[in-house]
Amino acid sequence: SCPDLFEQIGECCYYFSHDHTSSGVTWYDARTYCQELGTLLDKPIDLAEVGTTNNKCDDLKLMEIIGTSKAQHTYFGGSDEGHEGTFQWKYSGQKLSIKNSLWYHDRPLHGSHADTSDCLLAAIWGDYARAYFTDWSCNSHYQFVCQIF
């Protein structure tokens, strides 16, 4: 079972910042917040990842929950900072394929904004029932989701 403030999806525990505050933070501050939460709970916690836990988590359910939340944009723990076009999960070190079905159809960005869009963001597009990934500025202020690993 998950600690207080966390929600269980599949066999994984998540902390959704939009359930606890209305203000967003940068990707870097979100990551620090998750790690400090882990220190307080004596558990390994970082920004959430998908596809890195051998199907113990329900990644599609996670994206559906974000898609139906009040948070239109939610940071996850992936980045291509320093290696443009190669997205890597910061906690596990595993790569997120740009062919993954969780990317929005024209993402990640490869055009003029690609060099400043380094952090992984789940966003709601149109009338879709779940959120999809895009790469976005790490310095924008958005909600985030932490995961216990």
Side-chain angles (χ1 to χ4, degrees):
S1 69
C2 299
D4 288 345
L5 306 178
F6 282 78
E7 183 176 334
Q8 185 165 344
I9 302 172
E11 295 179 32
C12 296
C13 298
Y14 299 97
Y15 171 93
F16 294 94
S17 68
H18 66 263
D19 287 341
H20 307 285
T21 180
S22 60
S23 61
V25 297
T26 69
W27 183 87
Y28 305 105
D29 289 342
R31 189 154 189 240
T32 298
Y33 184 94
C34 294
Q35 293 168 343
E36 288 176 354
L37 192 57
T39 300
L40 287 172
L41 297 175
D42 196 29
K43 296 186 180 300
I45 299 175
D46 207 327
L47 283 171
E49 300 182 357
V50 298
T52 63
T53 60
N54 296 325
N55 298 321
K56 290 182 180 180
C57 304
D58 188 338
D59 297 335
L60 287 178
K61 182 69 175 172
L62 174 63
M63 297 302 271
E64 287 171 9
I65 288 171
I66 291 168
T68 58
S69 75
K70 293 181 179 112
Q72 296 289 308
H73 301 89
T74 304
Y75 280 127
F76 273 70
S79 172
D80 72 343
E81 195 169 41
H83 297 71
E84 189 62 39
T86 302
F87 281 83
Q88 186 171 11
W89 296 113
K90 293 302 180 182
Y91 181 79
S92 69
Q94 295 181 41
K95 290 191 178 12
L96 172 63
S97 171
I98 60 170
K99 295 181 181 188
N100 186 296
S101 65
L102 296 177
W103 286 104
Y104 189 61
H105 74 86
D106 65 347
R107 307 300 164 124
L109 293 171
H110 297 294
S112 61
H113 297 288
D115 58 339
T116 60
S117 298
D118 291 323
C119 291
L120 194 63
L121 186 73
I124 301 166
W125 305 93
D127 294 328
Y128 287 108
R130 68 172 169 90
Y132 286 85
F133 286 140
T134 186
D135 50 337
W136 206 257
S137 168
C138 302
N139 293 313
S140 296
H141 287 244
Y142 292 121
Q143 299 294 326
F144 58 94
V145 58
C146 303
Q147 179 178 350
I148 298 176
F149 289 94

